[in-house]
Amino acid sequence: MSGLDLLTFGEALVSLRSTGPLTAGGALTPHLAGAEANVAIGLARLGHRTAFAGRVSDDELGTFLLRQLRAEGVDVRHVVRDAERPAGLMFLERRTADLTRVLYQRAGSAGSALGVDDLRPALGAGARVLHLTGITPALSGRAREAAAWAAETAARAGTLVCLDVNHRAKLWSRDDARAVLTPLAGHASVVVASSDELDLVGAPGADEETLVAGLLARGVSTVLVKLGGDGARAYTADGRRDAAALPVTAVDTVGAGDAFTAGYLSGHLDGLDLAGRLRRAVTLGAFAVAGHGDWETLPRRDELSLLDSRQPGDTLR
């Protein structure tokens, strides 16, 4: 994997989407899901060399996950097939036009058994960026140890480490998350969080400026605060920069935060300045919310300008 731009690891899930309440029955369509996989695909679509490491079930569902990743240009040579554990499942229920609910069946899954030895070959091959999220260490003690080892090892080697807090309340409490993610953030160069997640990498109850100052003092170079429809804020040693969201019709917000992170990291890999990185981040976030699916509507590189100077309902001919 010489020349790899980004390595990420975690649990790839089979997402089963419904168009109405699960209790009413009806068709479920399978999709690849998982925050880290979403980021890998977002970058691969923009022409970056990306790899995903982890464990998937050694059955048809695991094969489906690998096939989807390969089809999107993501390197999966370091994914381990686990014959003893099932694939993790995520059910997305479109309860109303404005509300989607998520149900997980991932306890004891192949992805939750991720360990340090699973990551050694991938990390040893080298990458410009290591991306991890707060989801993986919530899966199991073994996965938690692997995430901490990878972050420390990559940071020591001079690799840029990006941590997206990505708190999942159904996986662990805020107190448990804070106890793990606060030290993990100490190995990161880039920390990404929504405004209500920022205190999970710092002191509970502290305001945003205090939390950001603490992260910068610990060696984090950039703190990104996602604000949904209000855009984002970026903090560095040089101060704060704001970016407005692109105006689009939002139809599905699942995966928007991962798209934002993919856009930011793509800008970093391309050598853009902070304003350019933020612009690409909010652009990918807009593509994500304007279509259905975790990653399916993310742009190719020649489509990055599609949302510029357009009007709702436009048709490109």
Side-chain angles (χ1 to χ4, degrees):
M1 291 196 297
S2 175
L4 191 68
D5 292 317
L6 177 132
L7 169 66
T8 188
F9 62 90
E11 180 173 36
L13 296 158
V14 177
S15 170
L16 297 164
R17 286 177 167 257
S18 74
T19 57
L22 290 171
T23 54
L28 293 169
T29 55
H31 302 263
L32 163 70
E36 298 86 1
N38 294 341
V39 171
I41 290 172
L43 283 156
R45 285 205 170 180
L46 295 177
H48 301 287
R49 292 193 60 194
T50 68
F52 176 85
R55 301 177 73 89
V56 301
S57 56
D58 191 17
D59 58 15
E60 290 79 4
L61 294 181
T63 299
F64 167 77
L65 294 172
L66 292 179
R67 182 178 182 181
Q68 293 290 97
L69 286 164
R70 288 193 187 102
E72 291 297 326
V74 178
D75 191 319
V76 294
R77 74 184 68 185
H78 292 301
V79 174
V80 176
R81 302 300 297 266
D82 190 325
E84 298 180 357
R85 298 175 180 86
L89 303 178
M90 180 171 74
F91 296 85
L92 270 77
E93 173 188 54
R94 192 63 177 264
R95 191 61 186 83
T96 71
D98 299 316
L99 177 65
T100 297
R101 294 195 296 198
V102 177
L103 173 68
Y104 294 114
Q105 290 188 4
R106 65 200 306 180
S109 68
S112 69
L114 174 74
V116 171
D117 288 342
D118 299 323
L119 298 181
R120 289 187 194 278
L123 206 61
R128 293 173 63 187
V129 175
L130 175 70
H131 173 66
L132 64 153
T133 78
I135 298 173
T136 299
L139 298 177
S140 68
R142 180 181 168 92
R144 191 170 307 136
E145 179 186 4
W149 174 83
E152 181 178 1
T153 301
R156 192 185 309 120
T159 301
L160 184 142
V161 176
C162 174
L163 170 65
D164 188 342
V165 173
N166 236 332
H167 181 243
R168 294 292 183 267
K170 291 186 177 181
L171 294 178
W172 56 357
S173 70
R174 294 183 69 86
D175 287 343
D176 287 343
R178 185 178 296 108
V180 172
L181 299 182
T182 297
L184 198 61
H187 301 300
S189 297
V190 178
V191 170
V192 186
S194 58
S195 56
D196 65 339
E197 292 174 331
L198 200 56
D199 75 333
L200 297 181
V201 285
D207 61 27
E208 183 170 301
E209 288 72 19
T210 300
L211 291 165
V212 168
L215 287 167
L216 295 177
R218 295 171 62 199
V220 176
S221 61
T222 306
V223 180
L224 301 172
V225 182
K226 298 177 292 185
L227 304 171
D230 292 325
R233 288 190 284 268
Y235 295 90
T236 69
D238 295 327
R240 166 179 157 179
R241 179 177 287 272
D242 295 72
L246 271 62
V248 294
T249 300
V251 299
D252 184 355
T253 60
V254 177
D258 304 324
F260 174 90
T261 300
Y264 181 86
L265 292 176
S266 170
H268 166 79
L269 289 164
D270 282 350
L272 302 184
D273 62 12
L274 182 58
R277 283 174 262 159
L278 283 173
R279 175 67 181 183
R280 188 169 294 180
V282 297
T283 296
L284 261 67
F287 271 101
V289 302
H292 293 285
D294 285 29
W295 50 266
E296 285 84 346
T297 60
L298 295 183
R300 308 290 179 186
R301 185 169 286 267
D302 62 356
E303 297 175 320
L304 282 171
S305 63
L306 278 180
L307 300 181
D308 296 340
S309 303
R310 59 95 189 96
Q311 298 297 320
D314 276 355
T315 299
L316 300 180
R317 299 184 186 275

